[in-house]
Amino acid sequence: MRRQSHSVVSKRGDRSNDLTSDEGTNLESLSRADYRLVAHLTLDLEQEQFAGALDFVFSELRNSSRHELEHPFSVVVAGEIIGFFVLREREALPEWAPSDAVTLHSFRVSRKHQGNGYGRSAVRLAAHWLSTNRPCINRLMLSVNLRNVAARGAYLKWGFRDTGALCSGPIGPQNILEYEVGLR
């Protein structure tokens, strides 16, 4: 989906959380009402089962009592939204996460943009956002389904480390990975 910057700024207002990488990948903060901006992001059916349906993710965000602790972002390249994720902190953390971490959820890069380094850039930008906005946080964590071999391999390639811990997920066991913030 191509965006016109004037309409995005007027909808989201403050862009102080927006970040840009050297590779031209940007993170832009979203609101809980911005589903339509990312609704076009498609994944293969196998990937979608692991990442979760976007309409469900936004329904959870809208119905959450912890809005200030959940941070949805779009991944933007050349003015086009090509990805999405949510960061969660403090009381919004899943039970498997320690209190000194922030967790990454519902991460996706659209099918036609995968394999170009945008996911890696988005993770680096998320880590930069944490080091700037949450300097006491030193790790970004996520859980990945054991059957999602491609995603797990990508996360490890991007610098995540396998903690060796497992948790239960909506469609099976999940491996918990962590990324040390500030070391990249």
Side-chain angles (χ1 to χ4, degrees), residues 139-142 159-163 176-180:
R139 58 187 161 166
L140 175 64
M141 299 182 78
L142 59 81
F160 279 87
R161 181 185 69 79
D162 186 344
T163 66
I176 299 172
L177 307 179
E178 69 180 1
Y179 184 97
E180 292 189 42

Side-chain angles (χ1 to χ4, degrees), residues 27-155:
L27 288 188
E28 292 183 1
S29 181
L30 296 174
S31 79
R32 279 123 194 89
D34 284 335
Y35 168 70
R36 64 179 176 71
L37 295 175
V38 296
H40 68 282
L41 297 174
T42 58
L43 299 174
D44 291 331
L45 286 177
E46 182 176 331
Q47 291 176 323
E48 186 78 28
Q49 72 174 323
F50 298 122
L54 278 171
D55 57 346
F56 179 74
V57 172
F58 274 86
S59 174
E60 283 189 323
L61 287 169
R62 283 190 304 275
N63 294 321
S64 173
S65 62
R66 297 183 169 109
H67 293 293
E68 72 284 356
L69 304 176
E70 298 171 315
H71 312 283
F73 287 92
S74 62
V75 180
V76 181
V77 174
E80 182 179 0
I81 294 176
I82 60 98
F84 170 80
F85 63 84
V86 177
L87 296 179
R88 292 196 169 107
E89 62 180 321
R90 299 191 311 250
E91 291 83 19
L93 289 170
E95 65 182 48
W96 52 261
S99 61
D100 67 341
V102 166
T103 53
L104 177 75
H105 301 267
S106 305
F107 185 63
R108 68 186 62 230
V109 171
S110 68
R111 176 182 19 201
K112 70 179 185 175
H113 293 95
Q114 292 177 9
N116 295 306
Y118 301 134
R120 177 193 311 261
S121 291
V123 166
R124 287 180 179 161
L125 287 170
H128 179 74
W129 184 89
L130 289 173
S131 64
T132 301
N133 295 285
R134 304 295 186 270
C136 61
I137 299 297
N138 61 10
R139 58 187 161 166
L140 175 64
M141 299 182 78
L142 59 81
S143 66
V144 61
N145 190 287
L146 293 177
R147 292 182 295 129
N148 195 351
V149 176
R152 185 178 185 283
Y155 293 135

